[in-house]
Amino acid sequence: MTINEVAAGESRARLEENLDRVEELSKRLVSALTRRHPTPQALSGPDSALYAKAVQAYAQEWVNNPAKLIEQQVSFWGKTVTTFVEAQQQLARGKLEAPQDSGPSDKRFKNPLWDSHPYFNYVKQQYLINADAIHQAVDAIEDMDEKEKRRLRYFSQQIVDMFAPTNFLATNPDALMKAVETEGESLVRGLENLVADLEANNGELVVRLADENAFEIGENIATARGEVIYRNRMMEVIQYNPTTEQVQETPVVLFPPWINKFYILDLKPQNSMIRWVVDQGYTLFVVSWINPDAKYRDVGLEAYVEEGFLKAIEIAKDVCDVPKVNAVGYCIAGTTLCLTLSLMKKRGDKSVRSATFFTALTDFSDQGEFTPFLQDDFADGIEEEINQEGILPSFIMARTFSFLRSNDLIYGPAIRSYMMGETPPAFDLLYWNGDGANLPGLMFTQYLRGLCQRNEFAEGTFEMFGEKLSVKDVDVPVMSIAAESDHIAAARDVYRGVQLMGSRSKQFVMGQSGHIAGIVNPPSKGKYGHFVHDDLSLDFDTWTKTADFREGSWWPHWEDWLKKRSGKKVPARIPGDSAYEPICPAPGTYVKIKAAKQIQ
């Protein structure tokens, strides 16, 4: 038997082995899909009325300005034919070389074959021509409500992103080359990854962004030392161990968002805000929220305020034997901290000395990039899902946020995992991003309808505990931190809400980067700077143009402000007291409850 015959036999054996694995994986794939609970159609796209309005407006544009649309069509036809002819000419020469104009650059098309191979270059250029034509067609529509047009622009972009040639095996040179190099092994591994993701999420396709086996909460992430000193159905309260001999008299109570887990602020020692705050000499309490299941169907914002915010503040006051605390709220917890402060104002409760808000919205008059998700068709779909499940499952919120950056958070990871067969990276931030939490049905309906859609808090009409709450009621000293490129809580929207607050002492700081990196920006990194300006009477554009830029993290600036509102130095406090004895070590138990396991 020759060497070639032996090699051919081995290759055939590997092929048969891979085919057997594919058959087994196909059975698992079908089994996983049968466990899927269908979500309302409205959560997968807009209702047909949006497209009907777009067609009507486009037809009207043909009547009013046919020359402009004809010019666009002729340009599209010309570019298409030219690209086809150039590809034909390259193939006719029999040489694989880059055309004179390989088209615009795009990070999705990094493989040299996208430029040098006539087939792949044609596919790339035609895709970009089609994408540009769609963008022009949407922009050309004038007789359409601006909110509807914003939605149309968003959903048309999703279609453009979805049909990128990189998303399909036949037109992805990286995936094809990998399949050839591995004799199909990469495709089998990719199918294994796909099946594993479906099985882990009850038949829902949620692309894993990080290697979940690389991290264990409390072992190599969320390792700051402390004790859970209180637990109820809504939260665990963690008091962290002091690292200084003396601390500021007034403690800090930090409320993280309950859409994700609190350990974004304690991923690892070098970027842990929790460790940093403690190291500056503060007694720090952090709330770890429950990951709710269907039993929390009727839990509303009132429970988060009464059993969460007010209770945690009371605990910190009792343990530290002080009359006031400094409170911090991040994202939705910042919004709810504002609601709490308004309620406390109504009740004459002066337990909060100062409030700090991280990327927190209080004025939703401009819905920004979330406009597509805050209209009635999508909101009705959310309510239908809540009525069915009792909660809003975590994957729906995760998917909504991911589609704001679909190429980075959906299609790119899917290509690497499902077509290239790669193991997701061991990246702590992406692991946290995938460790989402469910949301109670009533709470999310209140937030979606009352705050986001009707903007009742900014209007002063949001009702809770028999009181009408208003952002104008917030009168404690305030510092609000926004992030320059935040897709979730746009800096200009955060700023507008701060302007409405009734506090005489207000500061607004805008950090560089986005919703996470703009906040988790330790001074040791020396990475992102920040902008400060004392005059909050200015409109946002003027504020940004005239603000002072400072290198490095905003954390020291905030700490200087916080220290002035933290009283004298006192001996460091160990966690708990006779009324709140330690229950278990940080990070506690609630943070380890996985959302996917809650949905049966």
Side-chain angles (χ1 to χ4, degrees), residues 42-324:
L43 301 184
S44 299
D47 60 25
S48 57
L50 176 65
Y51 297 115
K53 292 175 184 176
V55 170
Q56 183 179 9
Y58 199 74
Q60 187 66 35
E61 198 66 25
W62 268 108
V63 174
N64 294 336
N65 196 354
K68 182 175 72 172
L69 299 186
I70 290 173
E71 181 182 357
Q72 291 175 357
Q73 287 295 311
V74 170
S75 174
F76 171 72
W77 296 336
K79 291 175 182 177
T80 297
V81 172
T82 300
T83 302
F84 176 74
V85 170
E86 289 177 349
Q88 289 286 80
Q89 291 173 343
Q90 290 292 336
L91 289 169
R93 293 192 188 102
K95 293 176 64 179
L96 298 183
E97 58 185 23
Q100 289 184 349
D101 180 8
S102 60
S105 60
D106 187 309
K107 66 180 181 180
R108 290 172 293 181
F109 305 115
K110 291 187 294 187
N111 191 308
L113 287 176
W114 287 114
D115 292 336
S116 64
H117 194 290
Y119 166 71
F120 288 114
N121 184 259
Y122 170 73
V123 168
K124 179 192 81 168
Q125 293 221 49
Q126 190 58 47
Y127 165 73
L128 294 174
I129 290 169
N130 292 344
D132 185 58
I134 291 174
H135 294 151
Q136 286 190 32
V138 172
D139 289 341
I141 298 175
E142 295 182 356
D143 188 20
M144 190 176 190
D145 177 75
E146 182 56 36
K147 187 176 290 186
E148 293 294 296
K149 187 170 180 179
R150 183 181 283 184
R151 298 182 74 208
L152 182 64
R153 186 177 287 114
Y154 169 82
F155 286 113
S156 64
Q157 183 61 52
Q158 296 308 314
I159 293 171
V160 167
D161 291 342
M162 182 174 63
F163 283 103
T166 46
N167 296 339
F168 303 92
L169 178 63
T171 51
N172 187 320
D174 293 295
L176 290 170
M177 291 167 66
K178 188 72 173 286
V180 172
E181 291 169 3
T182 61
E183 297 178 311
E185 176 71 18
S186 61
L187 298 179
V188 176
R189 289 200 304 267
L191 184 56
E192 288 178 334
N193 291 340
L194 172 62
V195 171
D197 285 355
L198 287 168
E199 289 176 337
N201 294 282
N202 299 291
E204 290 290 345
L205 183 54
V206 180
V207 185
R208 239 177 338 133
L209 300 178
D211 181 3
E212 295 180 0
N213 296 321
F215 300 101
E216 186 173 351
I217 297 172
E219 295 297 325
N220 57 357
I221 51 175
T223 58
R225 296 181 63 189
E227 299 286 341
V228 173
I229 63 168
Y230 178 81
R231 178 187 294 140
N232 63 16
R233 66 168 183 156
M234 299 302 299
M235 65 173 182
E236 292 179 330
V237 176
I238 303 170
Q239 182 180 354
Y240 284 90
N241 294 354
T243 57
T244 56
E245 291 186 2
Q246 289 189 312
V247 294
Q248 302 296 144
E249 182 180 29
T250 304
V252 175
V253 185
L254 195 157
F255 299 95
W258 48 89
I259 294 173
N260 287 93
K261 308 293 182 64
F262 82 88
Y263 64 87
I264 184 60
L265 300 171
D266 186 34
L267 284 178
K268 49 193 173 186
Q270 56 267 39
N271 66 359
S272 170
M273 175 174 262
I274 286 173
R275 290 173 183 263
W276 187 85
V277 170
V278 172
D279 287 345
Q280 306 315 301
Y282 292 87
T283 302
L284 177 64
F285 298 83
V286 175
V287 166
S288 175
W289 300 102
I290 186 67
N291 189 348
D293 57 19
K295 295 192 296 292
Y296 285 73
R297 172 189 297 270
D298 297 321
V299 168
L301 281 168
E302 291 87 351
Y304 280 89
V305 171
E306 193 83 67
E307 301 174 49
F309 286 78
L310 293 175
K311 185 61 180 178
I313 291 169
E314 174 192 326
I315 291 168
K317 287 168 54 182
D318 289 347
V319 169
C320 298
D321 193 22
V322 293
K324 296 188 178 187

Side-chain angles (χ1 to χ4, degrees), residues 43 119 238 292 353 361 371 469 510 517:
L43 301 184
Y119 166 71
I238 303 170
R353 174 166 285 174
L361 292 169
T371 298
L469 306 183
M510 184 171 70

Side-chain angles (χ1 to χ4, degrees), residues 496-540:
R496 190 174 58 251
V498 175
Q499 286 182 308
L500 292 175
M501 294 178 186
S503 307
R504 287 183 296 175
S505 173
K506 295 188 287 189
Q507 281 204 28
F508 180 77
V509 178
M510 184 171 70
Q512 292 182 307
S513 195
H515 194 69
I516 301 302
I519 299 300
V520 184
N521 181 27
S524 60
K525 295 284 186 181
K527 195 168 184 180
Y528 301 117
H530 59 282
F531 299 85
V532 295
H533 197 313
D534 291 334
D535 189 354
L536 302 193
S537 67
L538 303 171
D539 64 82
F540 179 74

Side-chain angles (χ1 to χ4, degrees), residues 172 174-175 178 186 189-190 414-422:
N172 187 320
D174 293 295
K178 188 72 173 286
S186 61
R189 289 200 304 267
I415 290 167
R416 292 189 291 273
S417 184
Y418 306 149
M419 285 203 281
M420 307 289 286
E422 297 176 1

